[in-house]
Amino acid sequence: MDTLKRPSPTGSPERPDSPGQDGGSPPGPSPDAWRALPAAQQPDWPDPAALRATLSSLASAPPLVFAKECDTLLDRLGEVARGEAFLLQGGDCAETLDAVSAESVRGKLEVLLQMSAVLTYAAGLPVVKVGRIAGQYAKPRSRPTETRDGVTLPSYRGDAVNGAAFTAEARTPDPARLERVYHACAATLNLLRAFTSGGHADLHRVHEWNRDFVALSMAGRRYERLADEIDAALAFIRACGMTTSTMRTTEVFASHEALLLDYESALVRTDPDTGRRYALSGHLLWIGERTRRLDGAHVAFAAGVSNPLGVKLGPDATVGDVLALLDRLDPRRTPGRLTFITRMGQGLVRDRLPALVEAVRAEGAQVAWVCDPMHGNTFTAPSGHKSRRFDDVLDEITGFFEVHRALGTHPGGLHMELTGEDVTECVGGGDEVLSGDLHLRYETACDPRLNRGQSMDLAFRVAEWFSAEKRRLGRRGPERVPVRTPDLPVHTRAAAPVG
């Protein structure tokens, strides 16, 4: 277990005296430099003394993750950036404090493992698994207040800040929630480690879950051929006596949006072995579309820590924006340090993405390009529920892969909002959720998620596309090469079964 220097009681990390891992100084300014810059999307905490007390407590608490784990993920994402691996990042839009249980954590983990098993076989690449988990408790909002029936209250900003109930008491930001979030994250990470190291991630077991999906789901029956191929591969492995412990465990990393900078700063620690600073609230932190201002506090904070970083890029992101973010957050051009997560929308991805990818390639940088097909495809259903169409999600993935295939670059992965539960929040999918079904199990705390069946349907569809591309390129089996996918047909309920 790493021994790390604690920040000062205000949450400001000590500036290390020792050199960085490469013999130079640690990257960037102190993570506390953000306090002198404009910080978007921060709560208006009503009790500064209570906030200081909470941050002091967090500053003396053990880290939630460890520096060496962050470095391991950096290596894995370096493989993604070089075209040698594929990233699957997924989980809740917003975690809630009352949903931390072994059952809920297991459900999220299982759907990630199931999707990864299918994608690993079809793509012929290792899949790096990163959950939107153990930290996704705060959400940016388009408006600071919400009005209902003439009553105006602060917007719900996630359980780290306030409550979802529309009352003055619930909507008042409460810094004590930050400590509750810390303990919820610690419990979630302990459960994740127990499940992934205790045999729950056994590849044979995961494939049996996928077999159940194929057998029982109306949509799943079209994937029998692929499931049969995976059966044959596993049988070959067993016949060769290769049933080793490596098939019973897996790596799953934790990520969240680094939104609440007071909380993130309080959990910064300095690794005594390298002198490098890490934000040890999670392995990978990302900066959102609303907070990626180059002169803003979030970019300044991220520049001062050594974690792998993500940045969301919407359709308005320019080449200048992307190159400036690259220079600021990845000045040493370290493969895996920076992941660009594109959220263009299915109607714009083909037009807006190519220039950004070409500009980064011209710089010689090795970043991971990842598609978030969720956030650009939200609409309001007649019932008033926010929702997403499964077909639109697939079409944005289609466009993402088309762009990378045309440019000869690597489409590095997917960033999904999903759950292991049978919710009814997104419409469409093979076992179709209709617009009129949304009210049945609409349980998200913020934005709509794919349910387990929709998530598996998507994974098998992407797997089909990978398999088709390997046939197109004449590859007989999985190889560790950059993935280039064929045109991705949009799924509809009336689509004919394959094979």
Side-chain angles (χ1 to χ4, degrees):
M1 186 168 170
D2 295 359
T3 302
L4 301 170
K5 294 182 182 178
R6 307 293 186 195
S8 68
T10 62
S12 173
E14 298 177 14
R15 195 169 183 84
D17 298 321
S18 57
Q21 195 171 41
D22 60 359
S25 60
S30 163
D32 216 36
W34 67 268
R35 297 184 185 279
L37 299 171
Q41 298 287 334
Q42 301 305 289
D44 184 12
W45 302 107
D47 188 342
L51 176 63
R52 286 193 297 271
T54 295
L55 296 181
S56 178
S57 177
L58 292 173
S60 62
L64 289 170
V65 301
F66 301 112
K68 288 181 175 61
E69 295 173 339
C70 298
D71 289 343
T72 297
L73 179 56
L74 181 71
D75 292 340
R76 302 292 182 264
L77 292 173
E79 294 175 359
V80 174
R82 290 189 294 269
E84 299 168 357
F86 191 80
L87 172 65
L88 177 62
Q89 186 174 5
D92 283 325
C93 165
E95 296 175 280
T96 56
L97 291 167
D98 61 2
V100 179
S101 67
E103 182 179 0
S104 67
V105 173
R106 183 173 58 244
K108 296 169 193 174
L109 173 63
E110 285 180 357
V111 74
L112 279 179
L113 295 175
Q114 287 182 261
M115 295 175 73
S116 296
V118 173
L119 295 173
T120 298
Y121 176 81
L125 295 169
V127 172
V128 181
K129 295 169 282 294
V130 178
R132 287 174 55 109
I133 198 168
Q136 192 59 13
Y137 285 94
K139 295 296 294 182
R141 309 303 297 185
S142 56
R143 297 181 180 86
T145 60
E146 178 184 359
T147 300
R148 299 184 192 177
D149 300 325
V151 177
T152 299
L153 294 175
S155 294
Y156 171 61
R157 291 184 172 272
D159 276 14
V161 177
N162 55 7
F166 194 72
T167 66
E169 181 181 9
R171 291 297 179 91
T172 300
D174 179 4
R177 287 176 168 268
L178 297 176
E179 283 196 86
R180 292 180 62 195
V181 162
Y182 169 86
H183 291 295
C185 292
T188 299
L189 288 165
N190 285 339
L191 287 166
L192 270 182
R193 291 180 173 118
F195 284 135
T196 55
S197 63
H200 199 69
D202 186 294
L203 181 59
H204 300 287
R205 184 177 189 178
V206 171
H207 181 57
E208 286 304 311
W209 300 335
N210 287 342
R211 263 298 187 190
D212 289 342
F213 168 77
V214 170
L216 301 175
S217 166
M218 181 186 304
R221 293 169 190 160
R222 65 176 288 165
Y223 308 126
E224 286 181 336
R225 175 181 294 177
L226 183 57
D228 288 344
E229 292 177 6
I230 298 175
D231 280 341
L234 291 175
F236 176 78
I237 291 171
R238 287 192 295 267
C240 293
M242 297 170 62
T243 308
T244 67
S245 60
T246 59
M247 299 181 66
R248 303 191 73 252
T249 61
T250 192
E251 293 176 329
V252 179
F253 300 94
S255 69
H256 62 271
E257 181 177 357
L259 186 64
L260 302 181
L261 294 179
D262 283 314
Y263 175 81
E264 301 297 342
S265 290
L267 289 169
V268 169
R269 306 288 186 265
T270 299
D271 183 349
D273 295 331
T274 65
R276 298 167 64 190
R277 294 179 298 269
Y278 293 81
L280 295 181
S281 61
H283 299 112
L284 181 150
L285 307 181
W286 76 81
I287 303 170
E289 170 73 3
R290 293 184 177 96
T291 54
R292 60 172 175 80
R293 284 180 50 183
L294 292 168
D295 61 348
H298 290 81
V299 170
F301 172 81
V305 296
S306 295
N307 305 60
L309 302 171
V311 181
K312 292 284 190 84
L313 300 175
D316 295 330
T318 67
V319 167
D321 293 337
V322 170
L323 294 182
L325 287 164
L326 182 65
D327 286 341
R328 186 74 184 279
L329 298 176
D330 185 24
R332 295 178 178 143
R333 302 298 192 260
T334 303
R337 160 70 169 175
L338 192 54
T339 296
F340 282 132
I341 306 166
T342 64
R343 40 163 293 178
M344 306 287 183
Q346 55 91 19
L348 294 173
V349 63
R350 295 167 179 84
D351 295 331
R352 306 294 173 86
L353 181 59
L356 306 184
V357 176
E358 288 182 325
V360 172
R361 179 171 61 180
E363 287 290 307
Q366 291 183 316
V367 306
W369 288 100
V370 172
C371 177
D372 170 359
M374 307 296 289
H375 285 89
N377 295 306
T378 304
F379 73 98
T380 302
S383 61
H385 295 92
K386 285 200 299 185
S387 189
R388 288 150 179 169
R389 296 181 181 89
F390 187 76
D391 287 354
D392 291 345
V393 170
L394 283 174
D395 191 44
E396 181 158 359
I397 297 171
T398 301
F400 177 79
F401 280 116
E402 286 174 351
V403 167
H404 284 284
R405 187 183 66 173
L407 297 176
T409 50
H410 178 50
L414 300 175
H415 181 117
M416 311 297 300
E417 289 187 338
L418 53 82
T419 177
E421 305 298 323
D422 293 324
V423 299
T424 55
E425 297 171 1
C426 294
V427 297
D431 295 336
E432 188 171 12
V433 175
L434 302 175
S435 181
D437 298 331
L438 292 175
H439 70 283
L440 296 176
R441 286 197 63 183
Y442 195 93
E443 300 174 2
T444 181
C446 190
D447 290 336
R449 305 160 293 174
L450 298 179
N451 62 31
R452 179 186 287 269
Q454 291 167 329
S455 299
M456 290 309 304
D457 196 5
L458 184 141
F460 273 100
R461 287 301 297 268
V462 174
E464 285 183 338
W465 305 328
F466 281 137
S467 297
E469 180 66 358
K470 285 193 292 186
R471 290 193 296 271
R472 187 181 72 85
L473 296 176
R475 297 204 294 270
R476 296 181 180 274
E479 300 175 9
R480 289 169 66 86
V481 297
V483 182
R484 300 174 187 171
T485 64
D487 295 336
L488 311 182
V490 174
H491 176 66
T492 65
R493 190 175 189 183
V498 173

